[in-house]
Coordinates of all heavy atoms in Angstrom, one line a residue:
L208 N -37.6 -15.5 -7.4 CA -36.4 -14.9 -6.7 C -36.6 -13.5 -6.2 O -36.3 -13.2 -5.1 CB -35.2 -14.9 -7.7 CG -33.9 -14.2 -7.3 CD1 -33.3 -14.9 -6.0 CD2 -32.9 -14.2 -8.4
L209 N -37.3 -12.7 -7.1 CA -37.5 -11.3 -6.6 C -38.5 -11.3 -5.4 O -38.3 -10.5 -4.5 CB -38.2 -10.5 -7.8 CG -37.2 -10.2 -9.0 CD1 -38.0 -9.6 -10.1 CD2 -36.1 -9.3 -8.5
A210 N -39.5 -12.2 -5.4 CA -40.4 -12.3 -4.3 C -39.7 -12.7 -3.0 O -39.9 -12.1 -1.9 CB -41.5 -13.2 -4.6
D211 N -38.8 -13.6 -3.1 CA -38.0 -14.1 -2.0 C -37.1 -13.0 -1.5 O -37.0 -12.8 -0.2 CB -37.1 -15.3 -2.3 CG -38.0 -16.6 -2.6 OD1 -39.2 -16.6 -2.2 OD2 -37.5 -17.5 -3.3
L212 N -36.4 -12.3 -2.4 CA -35.6 -11.2 -1.9 C -36.3 -10.1 -1.3 O -35.8 -9.4 -0.3 CB -34.8 -10.6 -3.2 CG -33.8 -11.6 -3.8 CD1 -33.3 -11.0 -5.1 CD2 -32.6 -11.9 -2.9
Q213 N -37.5 -9.8 -1.8 CA -38.4 -8.8 -1.2 C -38.7 -9.1 0.3 O -38.6 -8.2 1.2 CB -39.7 -8.6 -2.0 CG -40.6 -7.5 -1.4 CD -41.8 -7.3 -2.3 OE1 -42.4 -8.3 -2.8 NE2 -42.2 -6.1 -2.5
E214 N -39.0 -10.4 0.5 CA -39.3 -10.8 1.9 C -38.1 -10.8 2.8 O -38.1 -10.4 3.9 CB -39.9 -12.2 1.9 CG -40.3 -12.7 3.2 CD -41.1 -14.1 3.1 OE1 -41.4 -14.5 2.0 OE2 -41.2 -14.7 4.2
E215 N -36.9 -11.2 2.2 CA -35.7 -11.2 3.0 C -35.1 -9.9 3.3 O -34.7 -9.7 4.5 CB -34.6 -12.1 2.2 CG -33.3 -12.2 2.9 CD -32.3 -13.1 2.2 OE1 -32.7 -13.6 1.1 OE2 -31.1 -13.2 2.6
F216 N -35.2 -8.9 2.4 CA -34.6 -7.6 2.6 C -35.5 -6.5 2.8 O -35.1 -5.3 2.9 CB -33.6 -7.3 1.4 CG -32.5 -8.3 1.2 CD1 -32.5 -9.2 0.2 CD2 -31.4 -8.3 2.1 CE1 -31.4 -10.1 0.0 CE2 -30.4 -9.1 1.9 CZ -30.4 -10.1 0.9
G217 N -36.8 -6.8 2.8 CA -37.8 -5.7 3.0 C -37.9 -4.8 1.8 O -38.0 -3.5 2.0
L218 N -37.7 -5.2 0.6 CA -37.6 -4.4 -0.6 C -39.0 -3.9 -1.0 O -40.0 -4.5 -0.7 CB -37.0 -5.1 -1.7 CG -35.6 -5.6 -1.6 CD1 -35.2 -6.6 -2.7 CD2 -34.6 -4.4 -1.5
T219 N -39.0 -2.7 -1.7 CA -40.2 -2.2 -2.3 C -39.9 -2.2 -3.8 O -38.8 -1.7 -4.3 CB -40.5 -0.7 -1.8 OG1 -40.6 -0.8 -0.4 CG2 -41.7 -0.2 -2.5
Y220 N -40.9 -2.6 -4.6 CA -40.6 -2.7 -6.1 C -41.6 -1.8 -6.8 O -42.8 -1.7 -6.5 CB -40.9 -4.1 -6.6 CG -39.9 -5.2 -6.2 CD1 -40.3 -6.4 -5.8 CD2 -38.5 -4.9 -6.2 CE1 -39.4 -7.4 -5.4 CE2 -37.6 -5.9 -5.8 CZ -38.1 -7.1 -5.4 OH -37.2 -8.1 -5.1
L221 N -41.1 -1.2 -7.9 CA -41.9 -0.6 -9.0 C -41.6 -1.6 -10.1 O -40.6 -1.6 -10.7 CB -41.5 0.8 -9.3 CG -42.2 1.4 -10.6 CD1 -43.7 1.3 -10.5 CD2 -41.7 2.8 -10.9
F222 N -42.6 -2.4 -10.4 CA -42.4 -3.5 -11.4 C -43.1 -3.1 -12.7 O -44.4 -3.0 -12.7 CB -43.0 -4.8 -10.8 CG -42.5 -6.1 -11.6 CD1 -41.5 -6.8 -11.1 CD2 -43.2 -6.5 -12.7 CE1 -41.0 -8.0 -11.7 CE2 -42.7 -7.6 -13.4 CZ -41.7 -8.4 -12.9
I223 N -42.4 -3.0 -13.7 CA -42.9 -2.5 -15.0 C -43.0 -3.7 -16.0 O -42.0 -4.4 -16.2 CB -42.0 -1.4 -15.6 CG1 -42.0 -0.2 -14.7 CG2 -42.4 -1.0 -17.0 CD1 -40.9 0.8 -15.0
S224 N -44.1 -3.9 -16.6 CA -44.3 -5.0 -17.6 C -45.5 -4.7 -18.5 O -46.4 -4.0 -18.1 CB -44.5 -6.3 -16.8 OG -44.7 -7.4 -17.7
H225 N -45.5 -5.3 -19.6 CA -46.7 -5.3 -20.5 C -47.5 -6.5 -20.4 O -48.6 -6.6 -21.0 CB -46.2 -5.1 -22.0 CG -45.5 -6.3 -22.5 ND1 -44.1 -6.4 -22.3 CD2 -45.9 -7.5 -23.1 CE1 -43.7 -7.6 -22.9 NE2 -44.7 -8.2 -23.3
A226 N -47.0 -7.5 -19.6 CA -47.7 -8.8 -19.4 C -48.5 -8.8 -18.1 O -47.9 -8.8 -17.0 CB -46.7 -9.9 -19.5
I227 N -49.8 -8.8 -18.2 CA -50.6 -8.8 -17.0 C -50.4 -10.1 -16.1 O -50.4 -10.0 -14.9 CB -52.1 -8.6 -17.3 CG1 -52.4 -7.1 -17.6 CG2 -53.1 -9.0 -16.2 CD1 -53.8 -6.7 -17.7
P228 N -50.3 -11.3 -16.7 CA -50.1 -12.4 -15.8 C -48.8 -12.3 -14.9 O -48.8 -12.7 -13.8 CB -49.9 -13.6 -16.8 CG -50.7 -13.2 -18.0 CD -50.5 -11.7 -18.1
V229 N -47.8 -11.7 -15.5 CA -46.5 -11.5 -14.7 C -46.8 -10.4 -13.6 O -46.4 -10.6 -12.5 CB -45.4 -11.0 -15.7 CG1 -44.2 -10.5 -14.9 CG2 -45.0 -12.1 -16.6
I230 N -47.4 -9.4 -14.0 CA -47.8 -8.3 -13.0 C -48.6 -8.9 -11.9 O -48.4 -8.6 -10.7 CB -48.5 -7.2 -13.7 CG1 -47.5 -6.3 -14.6 CG2 -49.2 -6.2 -12.7 CD1 -46.6 -5.4 -13.8
E231 N -49.6 -9.7 -12.3 CA -50.5 -10.3 -11.2 C -49.8 -11.1 -10.3 O -50.1 -11.2 -9.1 CB -51.6 -11.0 -12.0 CG -52.7 -11.6 -11.0 CD -53.7 -12.5 -11.8 OE1 -53.5 -12.7 -13.0 OE2 -54.7 -12.9 -11.1
Q232 N -48.8 -11.8 -10.7 CA -48.1 -12.8 -9.9 C -47.3 -12.2 -8.8 O -47.2 -12.7 -7.7 CB -47.2 -13.7 -10.7 CG -46.5 -14.8 -10.0 CD -45.7 -15.7 -10.9 OE1 -45.8 -15.6 -12.1 NE2 -44.8 -16.5 -10.3
I233 N -46.8 -10.9 -9.0 CA -45.9 -10.3 -8.0 C -46.4 -9.1 -7.3 O -46.0 -8.7 -6.3 CB -44.5 -10.1 -8.7 CG1 -43.5 -9.8 -7.6 CG2 -44.6 -8.9 -9.7 CD1 -42.0 -9.8 -8.2
S234 N -47.4 -8.4 -7.9 CA -47.8 -7.1 -7.5 C -48.9 -7.1 -6.4 O -49.7 -8.0 -6.4 CB -48.4 -6.3 -8.7 OG -47.4 -6.1 -9.6
T235 N -48.8 -6.1 -5.5 CA -49.9 -5.9 -4.5 C -50.8 -4.9 -5.0 O -52.0 -4.9 -4.8 CB -49.3 -5.5 -3.2 OG1 -48.3 -4.4 -3.4 CG2 -48.6 -6.6 -2.5
K236 N -50.3 -3.9 -5.7 CA -51.1 -2.9 -6.4 C -50.7 -2.8 -7.9 O -49.6 -3.1 -8.2 CB -51.0 -1.5 -5.7 CG -51.6 -1.3 -4.4 CD -51.8 0.1 -3.9 CE -50.5 0.9 -3.9 NZ -50.7 2.2 -3.4
I237 N -51.7 -2.3 -8.7 CA -51.4 -2.2 -10.2 C -51.9 -0.9 -10.7 O -53.0 -0.4 -10.3 CB -52.1 -3.4 -10.9 CG1 -51.5 -4.7 -10.5 CG2 -52.0 -3.2 -12.4 CD1 -52.2 -5.9 -11.2
G238 N -51.1 -0.2 -11.5 CA -51.5 0.9 -12.2 C -51.5 0.6 -13.7 O -50.5 0.1 -14.3
V239 N -52.6 1.0 -14.4 CA -52.7 0.7 -15.8 C -52.5 2.0 -16.6 O -53.2 3.0 -16.4 CB -54.1 0.1 -16.2 CG1 -54.2 -0.3 -17.7 CG2 -54.4 -1.2 -15.3
M240 N -51.5 2.0 -17.6 CA -51.2 3.2 -18.3 C -51.7 3.1 -19.8 O -51.6 2.0 -20.4 CB -49.7 3.5 -18.3 CG -49.2 4.1 -17.1 SD -47.5 4.7 -17.2 CE -47.7 6.1 -18.3
Y241 N -52.2 4.2 -20.3 CA -52.5 4.3 -21.7 C -52.1 5.6 -22.3 O -52.6 6.6 -21.8 CB -54.0 4.0 -21.9 CG -54.4 4.1 -23.4 CD1 -54.3 3.0 -24.2 CD2 -55.0 5.2 -23.9 CE1 -54.6 3.0 -25.6 CE2 -55.4 5.3 -25.3 CZ -55.2 4.2 -26.1 OH -55.6 4.2 -27.4
L242 N -51.2 5.6 -23.2 CA -50.8 6.8 -23.9 C -50.4 7.9 -22.9 O -50.8 9.1 -23.0 CB -52.0 7.3 -24.8 CG -51.6 8.0 -26.1 CD1 -50.9 7.0 -27.0 CD2 -52.8 8.5 -26.9
G243 N -49.5 7.5 -22.0 CA -48.9 8.5 -21.1 C -49.7 8.8 -19.9 O -49.3 9.6 -19.0
K244 N -50.9 8.2 -19.7 CA -51.9 8.5 -18.6 C -52.1 7.3 -17.8 O -52.2 6.2 -18.4 CB -53.2 9.1 -19.2 CG -53.1 10.5 -19.8 CD -53.2 11.5 -18.7 CE -53.3 12.9 -19.3 NZ -53.4 14.0 -18.3
L245 N -52.4 7.4 -16.5 CA -52.9 6.3 -15.7 C -54.4 6.3 -15.9 O -55.1 7.3 -15.7 CB -52.5 6.5 -14.3 CG -51.1 6.0 -13.8 CD1 -50.9 6.5 -12.4 CD2 -51.0 4.5 -13.9
V246 N -55.0 5.1 -16.2 CA -56.4 5.1 -16.4 C -57.1 4.3 -15.3 O -58.3 4.4 -15.1 CB -56.8 4.4 -17.8 CG1 -56.3 5.3 -18.9 CG2 -56.2 3.0 -17.9
E247 N -56.3 3.5 -14.5 CA -56.9 2.8 -13.4 C -55.8 2.3 -12.5 O -54.7 1.9 -12.9 CB -57.7 1.5 -13.9 CG -58.4 0.8 -12.8 CD -59.4 -0.3 -13.3 OE1 -59.5 -0.5 -14.6 OE2 -60.0 -0.9 -12.5
V248 N -56.1 2.4 -11.2 CA -55.1 2.0 -10.1 C -55.9 1.3 -9.1 O -57.0 1.8 -8.6 CB -54.4 3.3 -9.5 CG1 -53.5 2.8 -8.4 CG2 -53.7 4.1 -10.5
G249 N -55.5 0.1 -8.7 CA -56.2 -0.7 -7.7 C -55.4 -1.8 -7.2 O -54.2 -1.9 -7.6
T250 N -55.9 -2.6 -6.3 CA -55.2 -3.8 -5.8 C -55.1 -4.8 -6.9 O -55.9 -4.7 -7.9 CB -55.9 -4.4 -4.6 OG1 -57.2 -4.9 -5.0 CG2 -56.1 -3.4 -3.5
S251 N -54.2 -5.7 -6.8 CA -54.0 -6.7 -7.8 C -55.3 -7.5 -8.0 O -55.7 -7.8 -9.1 CB -52.8 -7.7 -7.4 OG -52.6 -8.7 -8.4
E252 N -56.0 -7.8 -6.9 CA -57.2 -8.6 -7.0 C -58.3 -7.8 -7.8 O -59.0 -8.3 -8.6 CB -57.7 -9.0 -5.6 CG -59.0 -9.8 -5.6 CD -59.4 -10.2 -4.2 OE1 -58.8 -9.7 -3.3 OE2 -60.4 -10.9 -4.2
Q253 N -58.4 -6.5 -7.5 CA -59.4 -5.7 -8.1 C -59.2 -5.6 -9.6 O -60.1 -5.8 -10.4 CB -59.4 -4.3 -7.5 CG -60.0 -4.1 -6.1 CD -59.7 -2.8 -5.5 OE1 -58.8 -2.1 -5.9 NE2 -60.6 -2.4 -4.6
I254 N -57.9 -5.3 -10.0 CA -57.6 -5.1 -11.4 C -57.7 -6.4 -12.2 O -58.3 -6.4 -13.3 CB -56.2 -4.6 -11.6 CG1 -56.1 -3.2 -10.9 CG2 -55.8 -4.4 -13.0 CD1 -56.9 -2.1 -11.5
C255 N -57.3 -7.5 -11.6 CA -57.2 -8.8 -12.4 C -58.4 -9.6 -12.4 O -58.6 -10.5 -13.2 CB -56.0 -9.6 -11.9 SG -54.4 -8.7 -12.2
T256 N -59.3 -9.4 -11.4 CA -60.5 -10.2 -11.3 C -61.8 -9.4 -11.7 O -62.8 -9.9 -12.2 CB -60.8 -10.8 -9.9 OG1 -60.9 -9.7 -9.0 CG2 -59.6 -11.7 -9.5
N257 N -61.7 -8.1 -11.5 CA -62.9 -7.2 -11.8 C -62.5 -5.9 -12.3 O -62.7 -4.8 -11.7 CB -63.8 -7.1 -10.6 CG -65.1 -6.4 -10.9 OD1 -65.6 -6.5 -12.0 ND2 -65.6 -5.7 -9.9
P258 N -61.9 -5.8 -13.5 CA -61.4 -4.5 -14.0 C -62.6 -3.6 -14.3 O -63.6 -4.0 -14.7 CB -60.7 -4.9 -15.3 CG -61.3 -6.2 -15.7 CD -61.6 -6.9 -14.5
A259 N -62.4 -2.3 -14.0 CA -63.4 -1.3 -14.2 C -63.3 -0.5 -15.4 O -64.3 -0.3 -16.1 CB -63.4 -0.3 -13.0
H260 N -62.1 -0.1 -15.8 CA -61.9 0.7 -17.0 C -62.0 -0.1 -18.3 O -61.5 -1.3 -18.3 CB -60.6 1.4 -16.9 CG -60.4 2.6 -17.9 ND1 -60.1 2.4 -19.2 CD2 -60.6 3.9 -17.7 CE1 -60.1 3.6 -19.8 NE2 -60.3 4.5 -18.9
P261 N -62.6 0.4 -19.3 CA -62.7 -0.4 -20.6 C -61.4 -0.8 -21.1 O -61.3 -1.9 -21.7 CB -63.4 0.6 -21.5 CG -64.2 1.6 -20.7 CD -63.4 1.7 -19.4
Y262 N -60.4 0.0 -21.0 CA -59.0 -0.4 -21.5 C -58.5 -1.6 -20.7 O -57.9 -2.5 -21.2 CB -58.1 0.8 -21.4 CG -56.7 0.4 -21.9 CD1 -56.4 0.0 -23.2 CD2 -55.6 0.5 -21.0 CE1 -55.1 -0.3 -23.6 CE2 -54.3 0.2 -21.4 CZ -54.1 -0.2 -22.6 OH -52.8 -0.6 -23.0
T263 N -58.6 -1.5 -19.4 CA -58.2 -2.6 -18.5 C -58.9 -3.9 -18.9 O -58.3 -5.0 -18.9 CB -58.4 -2.3 -17.0 OG1 -57.9 -1.0 -16.8 CG2 -57.6 -3.3 -16.2
Q264 N -60.2 -3.8 -19.1 CA -61.0 -4.9 -19.5 C -60.5 -5.6 -20.8 O -60.4 -6.8 -20.9 CB -62.5 -4.5 -19.6 CG -63.2 -4.1 -18.3 CD -64.5 -3.5 -18.5 OE1 -65.0 -3.4 -19.7 NE2 -65.2 -3.1 -17.4
A265 N -60.1 -4.7 -21.7 CA -59.6 -5.2 -23.0 C -58.3 -5.9 -22.8 O -58.0 -7.0 -23.4 CB -59.4 -4.0 -24.0
L266 N -57.4 -5.4 -21.9 CA -56.1 -6.0 -21.7 C -56.3 -7.4 -21.0 O -55.7 -8.4 -21.4 CB -55.3 -5.1 -20.7 CG -54.6 -3.9 -21.3 CD1 -53.8 -3.2 -20.2 CD2 -53.7 -4.2 -22.5
L267 N -57.2 -7.5 -20.1 CA -57.5 -8.7 -19.4 C -58.1 -9.8 -20.3 O -57.8 -11.0 -20.2 CB -58.4 -8.5 -18.2 CG -57.7 -8.3 -16.8 CD1 -57.0 -9.6 -16.4 CD2 -56.8 -7.2 -16.8
S268 N -58.9 -9.3 -21.2 CA -59.6 -10.2 -22.1 C -58.6 -10.9 -23.1 O -58.9 -11.9 -23.7 CB -60.7 -9.5 -22.9 OG -60.2 -8.7 -23.9
A269 N -57.5 -10.2 -23.3 CA -56.5 -10.7 -24.3 C -55.6 -11.7 -23.7 O -54.8 -12.4 -24.4 CB -55.7 -9.5 -24.8
V270 N -55.6 -11.9 -22.4 CA -54.8 -12.9 -21.7 C -55.2 -14.3 -22.0 O -56.4 -14.7 -21.8 CB -54.8 -12.7 -20.2 CG1 -53.9 -13.8 -19.5 CG2 -54.2 -11.3 -19.8
P271 N -54.4 -15.2 -22.6 CA -54.8 -16.6 -23.0 C -55.3 -17.4 -21.7 O -54.7 -17.2 -20.6 CB -53.6 -17.2 -23.6 CG -52.7 -16.0 -23.9 CD -53.0 -15.0 -22.9
V272 N -56.3 -18.2 -21.9 CA -56.7 -19.1 -20.9 C -56.2 -20.5 -21.2 O -56.3 -21.0 -22.3 CB -58.3 -19.2 -20.9 CG1 -58.8 -20.2 -19.8 CG2 -58.8 -17.8 -20.6
P273 N -55.5 -21.2 -20.2 CA -54.9 -22.5 -20.5 C -55.9 -23.6 -20.8 O -55.5 -24.6 -21.4 CB -54.2 -22.8 -19.1 CG -54.8 -21.9 -18.1 CD -55.3 -20.7 -18.8
D274 N -57.2 -23.4 -20.4 CA -58.1 -24.5 -20.7 C -58.8 -24.2 -22.1 O -59.5 -23.2 -22.3 CB -59.2 -24.4 -19.6 CG -60.3 -25.5 -19.8 OD1 -60.1 -26.3 -20.7 OD2 -61.2 -25.5 -19.0

Side-chain angles (χ1 to χ4, degrees):
L208 172 62
L209 290 172
D211 291 341
L212 293 173
Q213 182 175 38
E214 184 175 348
E215 182 178 353
F216 297 107
L218 297 170
T219 301
Y220 291 139
L221 171 58
F222 195 98
I223 298 168
S224 178
H225 64 273
I227 283 191
V229 172
I230 287 283
E231 181 182 10
Q232 186 175 345
I233 195 169
S234 300
T235 47
K236 288 198 302 186
I237 295 175
V239 183
M240 282 190 74
Y241 180 79
L242 216 61
K244 292 276 190 181
L245 277 172
V246 297
E247 187 170 359
V248 179
T250 65
S251 180
E252 183 179 3
Q253 287 172 334
I254 299 294
C255 296
T256 61
N257 186 30
H260 196 280
Y262 176 63
T263 313
Q264 293 171 0
L266 285 182
L267 264 295
S268 76
V270 176
V272 178
D274 183 4

